[in-house]
Amino acid sequence: MGGASKRRAKAERQANLGSRDNGGSGEQKARYDGPSERPGSSAGPGQASSSHGRAPSNAPGPSVPSGPAASTRTSSRPPSAGGPAQSSRQPSASGPPLRDPAVDPSRPQPAKLNTRIEWGGNAFNYFSDDAVCENMETQSITTFVSASSTFFLPNAMSNVKDPFDAGFDPSAESITIPIENPTLIDGTPIQAVRQVITDLNPYREQMPRVLMRRPGYGKVGDKLRVRLNSHYIEGTPDKIFYQYDVQVGNGAEKRGLIRTAWESNALNNALPGTRDNWIFDGNKLAWSSHNLQREFRLEVDLDAERGRQIPDGRARDTVRIVIRAASTGAKIDLNNIHEYLNGRVSMGPPVFDAINFLDHLIREYPSRSLVGIKRSYFHPKLGDSTMIGGGVDAMRGVYQSIRMAEGKGLVVNIDVSHTTFWHVASFPMIINQLTGHQNLDTVQTSWRDLKTGKTNFKYEGMKRLRANNFTVAHKGRSKDETDKKHRVAGIIPKTTYEYKFQPWDKEKNCLAPEISIFDYYHKTYDVYLNFPHLPLVSTGRMITKRDSKGNILSKGPIVFPMELCTMCESQRYPYKLNEHQTQSMIKFAVKKPQDRLQGINKGLDMLSWAKDPYLKHYGLKIDRNQIQTNARLLPPPKLQFAGSIVEPGTRGSWDLRGKKFLSPNVAPLISWGVTVIQSTSYQKPIQTPQVHAFVKAFIQAYKAHGGMVQNEEPLIHPGHADVPKAVELLFYAVGNKHQIRPQMLLFILPNKNADVYLRIKKSCDCRWGVQSQCVQGANAAKCSPQYLSNVLMKFNAKLGGTTNRILTKGPGGHFSRPTMIIGADVSHAAPTIHAPSYAAMTVSMDRYAVRYAAGVQSNGFRVEMISTRNLRDMLTPLFRHWASNVSGGRLPDHIYYFRDGVSEGQFVNVLRNEVADIKEILKEMGETRKDYDPKFTVVVAEKRHHIRFFPQGKGGDNNGNPLPGVVVDHDVTHPFENDIYLCSHRAIQGTARPTHYTMLMDEANVPVDEFQKILYEQCYQYIRSTTPVSLHPAVYYAHLASNRARSHENISESERQLRDHADPSKSTSERPKEDAKPLIPMDDVDKISYEIAEVKEVGDTGGAKQAAKDLFSGAVGGVAQVLIGLTHDGLYADIVKVRLQTTTRYTGAVDAATKILKDEGPLAFYKVRNKVSVQFGGFHYARRQFEARNTLKGHSPALSYSQLYASGAFAGLANSFLSGPIEHVRIRLQTQPHGAGRLYHGPLDCLRKLGAHEGILRGVYRGQAVTLMREAQAYGVWFLSFEYMMNRHARVNSMPRSEIAAPLIALYGGIAGEALWLASYPFDVIKSKMQSDGFGAGRRYASMRGCFGQVWKEEGLRGFWRGLGPTLVRALPILGVGGRLRDVGEGMTLGLWNRGGELGRDDGESDKLEGGSNEKETGSGEWFVIYNRGVMRL
């Protein structure tokens, strides 16, 4: 094989594997493909693993090439601290090879080498194929790891430079590890490197490989009959069909060329049988009833097919077609389906192949006569359509799909489908509609900047015309030329005057002089262009003129004036709709059940099963009559409000009039304000009297619902047109007026502009950390009681309240044991936008599962599985809070995990990745309970399906929709898996869409009827609605949270606009090279508590009540220090320290203690037991001042470390005015002679004599200057050190400070005490010497400065550190354990300031961050984010 052939074969292998070639750089890059796709496989989505080259399941180590030199070893470097230990488990090599579900499961898939990279439980897989590895020539391996991944060196390699020894930074995005002459351990050159995956999460292997089977059918509820939009397949052919692989060209041709070649007359004439005998998927697979005995090859002349003449000098346009038997099984036997439905065979490639064949069989005929988009079909003339603005039409078509169903049969699901197409119009008219201009003259003069020549941002939408077909019509153009379709390759930013070229002069057979486009059309066709200043349309094709010898005379692109171009019909519009288009689309798509049935019947006419030649040829018959099945109507629950019970019955709604919320806001509403966002358009704004009337009615309605409103006159700010400025002005105004941090900001919006709404939420959430509520100005002016109640449900929820809950008999609702409900969803951007995906997790936060908290974070680009890191970051703090606030410190025994947004092919991934990760998180958190093993019930909720209910007789409402509570578990459900369709809501408009719930796993063995009851009744607990919702609230909240996260994206508004309007014709399917940025951290997130209990007074200067609380808590801490310090402070350390500081007659601490005990007795150590602790009161006063200052400046109220030091210094200064004279007395008593020569008979006698000698200031307060310096430095360093260690521990371990263990708090307090003395000890020595100095003639030190100089002169540097040893021994237990007890003492009144939410926050602080929903009209539901990093309340 030649070098080129080898390179081509290698490129094909890498293309099949999805690997990235580095252009011959000699490096292989590891790509993250997510956790394993199937049990026992390490391959990620889109990857497959092979049992090739693996060690058997009982092998002690990884597999290496066989042979005499083969050997194994384990990594010499242990896992990082805190990370899980490396496991020796090996995946089993037995059993059938695992296949990639992302491709046809029956197709061959090459074996792959897998290398696992781990850090903190996150897995990153490196894939390559055996052939590449067996010919390994690379000299380096580049691996991409995240900040939380553990790196293990390949066990079979030597001479590998250790990344840790090379200064590896775990936060780096990539690391290159040089390999010097890759060899095995004994020096044998590496011929292959096979690293067996070691998965550190044992639960991945324990997850089931198949989904659970249905344990039974529900029996509770009234029976009824329901018609379904599905049809039975009456009979399938009892024949053998054949599947073929088709390759057109090089195998990478575009779909258009592939379809052209397949439909060519040459191929049609050459293939055996008629066209009706062959089915083609439009890409690489074909089926036929004919058995080709050998490979079929044909070269198709495309020029001949299109009737084109070949210009001189150009080769013919041909393409080769190769058809060969499918390598994974050429025979299709439909009996395999019936064998599977009857339970005689398991699901496998033969069944997959048969279903795949039937699916393409029913799609073949409509795909030829209709416009097909996946499984939906449209016809521009047969289907209904309407204009929705922006040059776009909405069109109604038909959807069909085939599936196996309960009842051992096959059914075809038929439904209406909707999509968007470009409106058939001239390009200038479409541009007019895209830009919103009224005439083209404006477009001509403003589409580009005349100075720079660049297209103006507003006209970037013109690029959306790319890749669409168009025709060109003008005077003098033939019919064939007018009917000819061209394809837009791009928009040329030049006018018809500016673009010049040389046309071909046919008479002279040469190039004519250069001419502009405008003059060319005028001269050649007598056409005067009406809009010559519009840009030009390029087709991308080139015109080449040659002379008689074949030499190129000219070459240029084919361009047309825009005004002559007209959009062809059936050109799909694939871009995200704007708000106006979305509203118009919804109005068009929403149809009542009877109208939908008519649309379905019209779709059946479009499909024409009776006329389908392919169905007829293959003998497939479909019953045109719809399926009627047995359904049940579940009984509705009763609802508990405050002081009343509501029975909604089957109405599906209830009224809030005269009802109080189950729980109102926990803190009275004091600091809040209202502003009106000024409109930038000509809309009439809401008037000031209307604003005042709305606020008055709003307050009255809230109080009527039980809300606590202490301030009934909120600040009403005039507002601003600039949204961030409006938020800033309102925040400052409310805070300054009330001198309390704002609890709520209410915004009245001029319209439904989504950008304005999202910018408000972004500013409030991420900049100011304040909750917000938005209302529409038009609705606020009407002031409808129903509207007010709807808004107040969300308003109350944001302030910590609850609307209602279902009424149950037991105290724990549906749950007899500690039960948690988790919801999860991942939202993705529109297909044409390169924006990150966002994962959201919600966790129930009470025993009834009414209130939820949630976390959100970016999750890569179009990655559906939530990463291990995101799961750990989001769920760990939520689990801790749940345990401490819901179940009395216990973790849950039973967990319901509701997952939204995953397809059937990803069900096993949910178990093996997400559920396994959650189990490991809980195991780590519950290590103290050896028997802790929570039971999981895993359910996938799906709304994107086409099953609809049409009740017959009872069970339907006036519109023909099913009543809330209708459940179907027959005929359209899975033959064996545990799934149901539940309609839990009341459809106000259109046709109700039930939710499809599939239970993947149930370790708790929940009874069928109980599970269905939980699903249905909890839909009545959605906190923002007076109707049951269609989706379980846990999933509903997760969906809202993941969508809301987009407003927290770490990108500027201008960057977002440029990204969203980037050239959409370029492929967006490839994942960007860079990782998705994390969301913007929410303001002050580390200080946010979960429950609002008390309003924080930002501007409070203390007051008598607050001062008393501070002093009391400080006294408790001081008493604790004395009690704990008796054994050290009085018995040993302090008196020894003072004696060593004030005299040189002791050789050391032991000598001093021995002589004191011998000469003065044990009571000498108890001479003073006074202890004062005023510093805590002073510290809190300074802290509040800094918080007020920070808040009013618009910053986070949390103190910086410099402010913490300053607060501590202020506390020390405040403390010194008491500690100075008291410590002076203590030192005098500790240093006076023993026995008959004693000078003082107690503290009071000492105090009296000191005052008699030199008065109060010079006597009692001697050494006060150095005392001030010592106290300021000491307590500044202590508070700074303690808070730093506490904050760091909470951050590193992703836990609230309230969960830090008491011994650790004591340890940090002790370490901070050591820092205190090390930073202030020289001042303490000078203080002790001055306060033990004599009076009058016996005085040695006249001043502090003189004392410093004397000590330095007599003892040198050592003199300033005498007695430090006993001081440090004393400090650790005194300031550690004593500091911990002082912490508890403060908690009695202050909410544990250094445990409950960190410094600067009390547990009761009203500083939750809120978010919103997509319901702009009535505001947003309550949620706040934990790890974007904030806390989301739902």
Side-chain angles (χ1 to χ4, degrees):
M1 182 182 291
S5 300
K6 288 183 178 179
R7 287 193 297 271
R8 186 162 52 251
K10 179 177 180 180
E12 290 177 358
R13 286 197 302 270
Q14 291 181 340
N16 290 335
L17 289 167
S19 60
R20 298 177 183 174
D21 183 64
N22 294 319
S25 64
E27 294 187 352
Q28 293 177 348
K29 291 190 176 180
R31 182 180 59 161
Y32 172 65
D33 284 273
S36 59
E37 184 78 17
R38 294 280 184 94
S41 167
S42 65
Q47 300 290 341
S49 65
S50 170
S51 57
H52 266 330
R54 296 212 183 152
S57 58
N58 58 354
S63 158
V64 294
S66 59
S71 63
T72 63
R73 65 166 178 166
T74 57
S75 176
S76 60
R77 178 166 298 277
S80 61
Q86 188 172 7
S87 169
S88 62
R89 286 184 309 277
Q90 307 294 335
S92 173
S94 60
L98 300 173
R99 299 186 178 276
D100 185 352
V103 298
D104 184 352
S106 63
R107 303 185 63 133
Q109 299 176 37
K112 301 174 184 179
L113 169 74
N114 305 318
T115 301
R116 186 75 156 194
I117 301 170
E118 297 273 353
W119 184 286
N122 283 351
F124 301 83
N125 297 337
Y126 164 61
F127 298 97
S128 180
D129 69 291
D130 289 340
V132 173
C133 291
E134 288 168 0
N135 298 281
M136 190 180 223
E137 299 175 355
T138 60
Q139 295 299 311
S140 66
I141 295 178
T142 301
T143 59
F144 287 85
V145 298
S146 77
S148 64
S149 60
T150 300
F151 189 83
F152 290 105
L153 295 177
N155 294 341
M157 287 186 180
S158 65
N159 298 333
V160 178
K161 187 174 181 180
D162 193 320
F164 293 88
D165 295 339
F168 169 56
D169 179 11
S171 64
E173 292 185 359
S174 64
I175 172 175
T176 300
I177 308 171
I179 304 177
E180 301 174 0
N181 301 320
T183 61
L184 292 179
I185 306 306
D186 59 359
T188 303
I190 291 182
Q191 298 301 320
V193 178
R194 291 187 171 91
Q195 173 68 33
V196 177
I197 294 175
T198 300
D199 194 337
L200 300 184
N201 185 347
Y203 293 104
R204 298 197 198 283
E205 291 298 325
Q206 298 174 15
M207 289 295 102
R209 295 171 179 264
V210 294
L211 306 184
M212 67 173 293
R213 296 177 70 92
R214 180 181 288 107
Y217 297 93
K219 298 178 181 179
V220 174
D222 298 332
K223 295 182 179 180
L224 52 97
R225 295 287 288 177
V226 169
R227 185 161 51 150
L228 305 171
N229 58 336
S230 298
H231 303 257
Y232 283 125
I233 292 182
E234 294 180 329
T236 54
D238 187 13
K239 299 179 181 178
I240 299 296
F241 304 106
Y242 302 91
Q243 178 174 305
Y244 300 96
D245 289 335
V246 178
Q247 180 175 324
V248 177
N250 59 9
E253 306 291 354
K254 294 182 178 181
R255 290 293 182 95
L257 176 60
I258 294 175
R259 176 60 69 177
T260 299
W262 179 260
E263 295 178 350
S264 64
N265 291 324
L267 181 63
N268 189 30
N269 296 330
L271 283 176
T274 63
R275 174 68 67 183
D276 299 344
N277 293 345
W278 289 86
I279 300 170
F280 184 51
D281 71 347
N283 189 20
K284 293 183 178 181
L285 286 180
W287 296 266
S288 176
S289 56
H290 289 274
N291 183 12
L292 294 180
Q293 298 298 325
R294 57 187 178 84
E295 185 177 277
F296 176 89
R297 294 175 178 265
L298 179 69
E299 189 171 86
V300 177
D301 187 339
L302 297 180
D303 288 323
E305 293 289 331
R306 294 165 179 168
R308 292 186 307 206
Q309 295 183 356
I310 306 173
D312 295 337
R314 181 176 76 78
R316 302 190 68 84
D317 187 3
T318 61
V319 63
R320 172 192 272 184
I321 300 178
V322 179
I323 303 176
R324 61 176 68 92
S327 56
T328 57
K331 295 183 179 181
I332 303 296
D333 187 353
L334 299 184
N335 286 323
N336 288 319
I337 298 177
H338 301 291
E339 293 294 301
Y340 169 74
L341 292 174
N342 289 303
R344 288 191 284 268
V345 299
S346 59
M347 178 63 71
V351 183
F352 283 134
D353 290 343
I355 289 293
N356 195 34
F357 164 70
L358 291 178
D359 182 52
H360 284 87
L361 173 59
I362 65 174
R363 292 163 62 180
E364 182 69 17
Y365 179 64
S367 65
R368 293 182 175 277
S369 56
L370 305 172
V371 179
I373 301 175
K374 295 183 179 179
R375 289 180 172 84
S376 297
Y377 303 93
F378 302 88
H379 195 286
K381 295 182 174 60
L382 298 178
D384 300 331
S385 63
T386 184
M387 291 187 63
I388 60 174
V392 180
D393 289 347
M395 186 175 295
R396 184 177 293 114
V398 60
Y399 166 90
Q400 72 168 353
S401 69
I402 190 170
R403 59 183 299 153
M404 296 179 290
E406 188 273 343
K408 302 179 181 180
L410 290 168
V411 299
V412 178
N413 179 209
I414 303 294
D415 194 20
V416 296
S417 183
H418 301 86
T419 193
T420 51
F421 293 92
W422 286 99
H423 183 64
V424 178
S426 66
F427 279 8
M429 295 303 297
I430 292 176
I431 297 297
N432 246 8
Q433 295 181 50
L434 275 174
T435 57
H437 288 302
Q438 299 297 321
N439 58 73
L440 285 173
D441 292 331
T442 305
V443 177
Q444 283 197 106
T445 57
S446 60
W447 68 270
R448 67 173 175 174
D449 189 324
L450 296 179
K451 293 182 179 180
T452 62
K454 294 182 178 180
T455 303
N456 286 327
F457 174 77
K458 189 174 182 180
Y459 294 90
E460 289 291 328
M462 289 192 299
K463 294 180 179 180
R464 296 187 174 186
L465 296 176
R466 293 184 63 169
N468 287 292
N469 294 331
F470 68 97
T471 58
V472 178
H474 56 78
K475 183 171 64 176
R477 191 173 179 86
S478 66
K479 185 178 185 304
D480 290 342
E481 290 177 327
T482 300
D483 294 339
K484 183 179 180 180
K485 293 181 180 180
H486 305 272
R487 194 169 185 85
V488 180
I491 304 297
I492 299 177
K494 289 186 178 182
T495 67
T496 58
Y497 292 121
E498 297 168 342
Y499 191 93
K500 297 181 179 181
F501 71 107
Q502 285 185 280
W504 183 259
D505 190 331
K506 295 181 180 179
E507 296 179 357
K508 298 181 180 181
N509 198 29
C510 66
L511 292 174
E514 189 176 69
I515 190 173
S516 68
I517 293 286
F518 180 88
D519 292 335
Y520 173 78
Y521 275 90
H522 172 50
K523 181 179 179 180
T524 307
Y525 300 107
D526 193 24
V527 173
Y528 283 91
L529 297 177
N530 297 316
F531 305 102
H533 294 284
L534 290 176
L536 300 172
V537 178
S538 171
T539 64
R541 295 179 57 196
M542 306 295 290
I543 294 181
T544 303
K545 295 297 182 180
R546 303 175 185 268
D547 59 15
S548 58
K549 297 181 180 180
N551 298 318
I552 298 177
L553 298 177
S554 68
K555 187 176 182 180
I558 300 177
V559 297
F560 294 101
M562 182 173 284
E563 68 176 271
L564 304 180
C565 302
T566 300
M567 183 72 70
C568 292
E569 67 178 12
S570 303
Q571 301 299 299
R572 191 186 177 197
Y573 182 83
Y575 310 110
K576 183 180 179 180
L577 302 180
N578 60 33
E579 279 193 62
H580 173 73
Q581 291 172 329
T582 300
Q583 292 174 1
S584 300
M585 182 71 171
I586 291 174
K587 290 180 180 178
F588 174 70
V590 169
K591 295 293 182 182
K592 292 183 178 180
Q594 292 304 317
D595 296 331
R596 193 177 192 93
L597 280 173
Q598 292 180 5
I600 291 174
N601 290 329
K602 190 172 183 178
L604 288 174
D605 294 336
M606 292 171 60
L607 295 174
S608 301
W609 287 337
K611 300 178 181 179
D612 190 329
Y614 297 92
L615 298 183
K616 184 177 181 180
H617 173 79
Y618 285 95
L620 191 68
K621 297 179 180 179
I622 306 173
D623 187 359
R624 189 180 171 94
N625 297 317
Q626 292 181 333
I627 296 174
Q628 292 194 22
T629 187
N630 293 320
R632 290 173 291 114
L633 179 62
L634 301 179
K638 298 179 181 179
L639 304 180
Q640 175 73 60
F641 285 84
S644 62
I645 296 174
V646 175
E647 298 185 35
T650 58
R651 299 189 308 274
S653 64
W654 54 93
D655 199 340
L656 285 180
R657 284 179 296 181
K659 298 177 182 63
K660 294 183 182 296
F661 295 138
L662 181 65
S663 61
N665 50 321
V666 268
L669 188 58
I670 299 175
S671 181
W672 63 303
V674 183
T675 190
V676 179
I677 301 297
Q678 302 297 326
S679 176
T680 56
S681 63
Y682 296 102
Q683 288 179 309
K684 183 179 179 181
I686 185 173
Q687 302 300 309
T688 302
Q690 293 175 313
V691 175
H692 285 273
F694 167 74
V695 172
K696 182 179 179 180
F698 189 83
I699 294 172
Q700 291 175 348
Y702 192 29
K703 294 174 69 176
H705 288 310
M708 296 184 293
V709 183
Q710 184 172 325
N711 174 22
E712 297 189 18
E713 295 183 358
L715 183 142
I716 299 179
H717 198 268
H720 199 279
D722 182 70
V723 173
K725 190 67 176 177
V727 177
E728 178 183 8
L729 292 174
L730 183 60
F731 181 88
Y732 281 142
V734 172
N736 289 330
K737 176 183 178 181
H738 301 291
Q739 287 297 293
I740 295 175
R741 181 177 178 81
Q743 297 167 265
M744 177 70 72
L745 302 181
L746 195 151
F747 298 89
I748 301 178
L749 308 183
N751 50 44
K752 297 181 180 180
N753 189 314
D755 290 335
V756 171
Y757 175 81
L758 292 177
R759 293 185 73 187
I760 288 174
K761 295 302 180 182
K762 186 173 186 176
S763 291
C764 290
D765 294 347
C766 302
R767 184 180 180 190
W768 303 105
V770 63
Q771 303 197 67
S772 59
Q773 177 66 58
C774 297
V775 297
Q776 287 293 318
N779 293 328
K782 295 177 183 177
C783 224
S784 164
Q786 182 178 354
Y787 177 76
L788 293 177
S789 294
N790 288 339
V791 175
L792 284 169
M793 284 189 291
K794 302 157 188 170
F795 191 85
N796 182 63
K798 294 173 187 179
L799 295 175
T802 303
T803 305
N804 61 268
R805 69 173 178 85
I806 56 177
L807 185 64
T808 54
K809 296 180 180 180
H814 290 295
F815 315 121
S816 58
R817 51 185 169 177
T819 301
M820 173 191 291
I821 295 182
I822 302 175
D825 185 30
V826 178
S827 66
H828 308 286
T832 55
I833 298 177
H834 269 306
S837 301
Y838 295 105
M841 306 289 294
T842 62
V843 174
S844 60
M845 283 299 162
D846 56 50
R847 59 183 179 177
Y848 298 102
V850 178
R851 294 189 63 81
Y852 283 79
V856 293
Q857 188 53 274
S858 57
N859 197 61
F861 290 85
R862 304 202 174 278
V863 178
E864 183 58 45
M865 292 296 106
I866 303 176
S867 69
T868 302
R869 183 180 183 182
N870 279 343
L871 286 168
R872 188 175 296 275
D873 285 350
M874 290 190 285
L875 290 181
T876 300
L878 290 171
F879 286 167
R880 294 185 188 278
H881 177 73
W882 188 93
S884 60
N885 291 271
V886 180
S887 65
R890 292 180 56 189
L891 288 170
D893 293 334
H894 184 197
I895 294 176
Y896 285 93
Y897 183 55
F898 288 95
R899 185 61 159 88
D900 185 24
V902 294
S903 62
E904 293 181 7
Q906 297 172 312
F907 284 176
V908 174
N909 282 353
V910 170
L911 296 177
R912 293 182 54 79
N913 298 321
E914 297 177 359
V915 176
D917 286 336
I918 297 173
K919 278 179 169 282
E920 187 177 38
I921 294 170
L922 287 169
K923 178 186 177 183
E924 293 173 0
M925 295 179 67
E927 286 181 348
T928 56
R929 293 174 53 189
K930 296 183 179 180
D931 61 340
Y932 180 62
D933 183 23
K935 305 302 180 183
F936 270 74
T937 301
V938 184
V939 182
V940 170
E942 183 185 7
K943 290 283 288 183
R944 294 186 177 181
H945 61 82
H946 286 268
I947 297 295
R948 298 295 183 271
F949 298 166
F950 302 95
Q952 306 296 299
K954 66 176 184 177
D957 61 15
N958 294 333
N959 293 326
N961 275 309
L963 295 173
V966 173
V967 60
V968 170
D969 49 12
H970 291 280
D971 292 322
V972 289
T973 53
H974 194 275
F976 307 113
E977 294 171 5
N978 190 15
D979 66 327
I980 62 169
Y981 288 89
L982 172 63
C983 183
S984 58
H985 69 297
R986 173 191 176 191
I988 299 175
Q989 57 179 351
T991 304
R993 173 165 50 185
T995 300
H996 185 204
Y997 293 100
T998 302
M999 184 181 288
L1000 310 185
M1001 181 177 74
D1002 182 22
E1003 296 175 329
N1005 296 320
V1006 181
V1008 174
D1009 286 321
E1010 180 181 342
F1011 172 69
Q1012 294 180 6
K1013 180 181 180 181
I1014 291 174
L1015 280 182
Y1016 174 46
E1017 293 189 354
Q1018 289 208 337
C1019 292
Y1020 283 76
Q1021 292 187 155
Y1022 186 64
I1023 209 166
R1024 316 185 319 163
S1025 176
T1026 56
T1027 62
V1029 290
S1030 61
L1031 192 61
H1032 191 280
V1035 182
Y1036 206 133
Y1037 292 139
H1039 177 71
L1040 296 179
S1042 62
N1043 286 336
R1044 171 65 175 280
R1046 299 194 177 280
S1047 66
H1048 297 174
E1049 189 177 1
N1050 192 4
I1051 186 174
S1052 67
E1053 184 66 19
S1054 58
E1055 289 175 325
R1056 185 183 67 83
Q1057 292 282 353
L1058 287 173
R1059 180 197 65 192
D1060 294 353
H1061 292 83
D1063 189 351
S1065 64
K1066 297 179 180 179
S1067 173
T1068 61
S1069 60
E1070 295 183 3
R1071 184 182 303 173
K1073 294 181 180 179
E1074 71 279 2
D1075 291 334
K1077 292 181 180 179
L1079 297 174
I1080 299 176
M1082 300 183 80
D1083 179 79
D1084 210 17
V1085 66
D1086 292 331
K1087 318 299 185 298
I1088 296 174
S1089 57
Y1090 285 80
E1091 295 297 337
I1092 301 175
E1094 176 183 13
V1095 177
K1096 182 79 174 67
E1097 299 185 5
V1098 174
D1100 187 11
T1101 58
K1105 181 180 178 181
Q1106 185 63 47
K1109 291 166 66 177
D1110 291 342
L1111 290 174
F1112 172 75
S1113 60
V1116 173
V1119 170
Q1121 289 191 17
V1122 173
L1123 294 175
I1124 298 300
L1126 282 177
T1127 57
H1128 289 277
D1129 196 343
L1131 177 61
Y1132 172 70
D1134 193 67
I1135 190 171
V1136 173
K1137 171 188 79 87
V1138 172
R1139 293 287 179 90
L1140 289 173
Q1141 287 177 336
T1142 57
T1143 181
T1144 59
R1145 68 189 184 96
Y1146 303 112
T1147 59
V1150 176
D1151 181 53
T1154 303
K1155 290 180 178 179
I1156 292 172
L1157 181 63
K1158 178 180 178 181
D1159 297 339
E1160 306 175 38
L1163 293 179
F1165 295 99
Y1166 289 87
K1167 288 185 176 181
V1168 175
R1169 293 187 295 273
N1170 305 63
K1171 185 67 184 177
V1172 179
S1173 203
V1174 179
Q1175 63 268 30
F1176 304 114
F1179 175 82
H1180 283 297
Y1181 175 84
R1183 169 181 61 85
R1184 289 195 300 274
Q1185 298 304 315
F1186 278 121
E1187 283 186 340
R1189 178 184 177 188
N1190 293 346
T1191 301
L1192 294 179
K1193 282 189 174 184
H1195 304 309
S1196 165
L1199 273 64
S1200 65
Y1201 286 117
S1202 62
Q1203 290 175 333
L1204 283 172
Y1205 176 85
S1207 298
F1210 177 83
L1213 294 175
N1215 190 58
S1216 66
F1217 290 100
L1218 287 177
S1219 66
I1222 292 175
E1223 290 193 10
H1224 187 182
V1225 171
R1226 176 172 58 82
I1227 290 173
R1228 292 287 179 182
L1229 294 175
Q1230 288 176 334
T1231 57
Q1232 68 175 336
H1234 180 65
R1238 63 191 305 179
L1239 302 175
Y1240 312 109
H1241 297 287
L1244 294 179
D1245 181 57
C1246 180
L1247 192 63
R1248 180 180 57 80
K1249 290 180 178 179
L1250 289 175
H1253 279 295
E1254 296 183 354
I1256 299 296
L1257 293 179
R1258 296 177 62 84
V1260 176
Y1261 277 93
R1262 173 184 282 192
Q1264 186 64 20
V1266 72
T1267 301
L1268 290 171
M1269 297 172 68
R1270 186 200 70 162
E1271 296 287 87
Q1273 172 73 349
Y1275 285 105
V1277 170
W1278 190 88
F1279 281 106
L1280 173 64
S1281 304
F1282 180 76
E1283 289 304 318
Y1284 172 78
M1285 288 184 285
M1286 291 287 288
N1287 292 347
R1288 186 179 184 279
H1289 183 94
R1291 182 177 65 254
V1292 170
N1293 294 280
S1294 300
M1295 63 189 301
R1297 287 177 48 139
S1298 59
E1299 297 298 327
I1300 299 178
L1304 283 175
I1305 295 177
L1307 175 63
Y1308 295 151
I1311 295 174
E1314 304 293 311
L1316 176 153
W1317 282 113
L1318 289 172
S1320 64
Y1321 195 76
F1323 296 113
D1324 188 69
V1325 170
I1326 300 301
K1327 182 184 77 70
S1328 296
K1329 288 183 177 292
M1330 292 184 68
Q1331 291 181 342
S1332 63
D1333 196 10
F1335 292 94
R1339 182 171 184 177
R1340 299 183 60 200
Y1341 311 113
S1343 65
M1344 176 183 68
R1345 183 176 180 181
C1347 185
F1348 269 108
Q1350 191 73 12
V1351 172
W1352 177 263
K1353 182 179 179 181
E1354 295 176 356
E1355 304 179 54
L1357 183 63
R1358 183 180 179 184
F1360 293 102
W1361 300 98
R1362 287 181 61 85
L1364 179 62
T1367 301
L1368 295 180
V1369 171
R1370 176 188 76 152
L1372 189 63
I1374 294 288
L1375 291 174
V1377 180
R1380 166 69 183 128
L1381 293 181
R1382 180 269 307 158
D1383 182 33
V1384 175
E1386 287 189 23
M1388 297 177 184
T1389 57
L1390 298 181
L1392 298 175
W1393 65 264
N1394 75 342
R1395 280 177 58 77
E1398 303 202 19
L1399 247 172
R1401 280 285 183 273
D1402 295 343
D1403 269 357
E1405 184 169 18
S1406 161
D1407 190 31
K1408 300 284 176 52
L1409 303 185
E1410 62 80 29
S1413 71
N1414 51 5
E1415 301 177 25
K1416 282 79 175 182
E1417 242 185 61
T1418 57
S1420 57
E1422 178 177 271
W1423 55 283
F1424 52 72
V1425 198
I1426 280 193
Y1427 272 99
N1428 116 343
R1429 305 181 175 256
V1431 179
M1432 240 183 310
R1433 288 183 76 90
L1434 293 168

